[in-house]
Amino acid sequence: MTQQMVNDKESGGDGRYWWRKKGEAKCSRPQPKPGDNCPNCHNGKLVFDGLFILTCDCCQHVADSGGFT
């Protein structure tokens, strides 16, 4: 068995998702999208700001952040 195969086995998979162990529960909540109701205050709508941070236009709650470069 090669060292790469040993590392893959220890990481819980084929190396694609080294941070996820086999059988680990996955999040079933849907990804928030612009226009959705705010999960915090339930009054505002989620919108992207200039830094691609998905925030509530009412309470400024950050629902999601990050972007591809």
Side-chain angles (χ1 to χ4, degrees):
M1 187 181 284
T2 67
Q3 185 61 36
Q4 181 63 40
M5 292 168 67
V6 170
N7 291 343
D8 287 346
K9 186 175 181 181
E10 289 174 357
S11 70
D14 61 0
R16 279 183 67 195
Y17 302 108
W18 55 266
W19 64 90
R20 186 179 300 151
K21 294 179 174 58
K22 284 190 175 183
E24 182 179 3
K26 296 177 186 160
C27 182
S28 60
R29 292 183 75 184
Q31 184 75 16
K33 299 182 295 291
D36 287 350
N37 288 332
C38 176
N40 188 46
C41 71
H42 304 288
N43 293 326
K45 297 284 183 187
L46 298 178
V47 294
F48 280 116
D49 67 2
L51 299 173
F52 292 108
I53 299 173
L54 193 59
T55 58
C56 174
D57 61 0
C58 185
C59 71
Q60 304 305 314
H61 171 74
V62 175
D64 195 19
S65 64
F68 293 103
T69 57

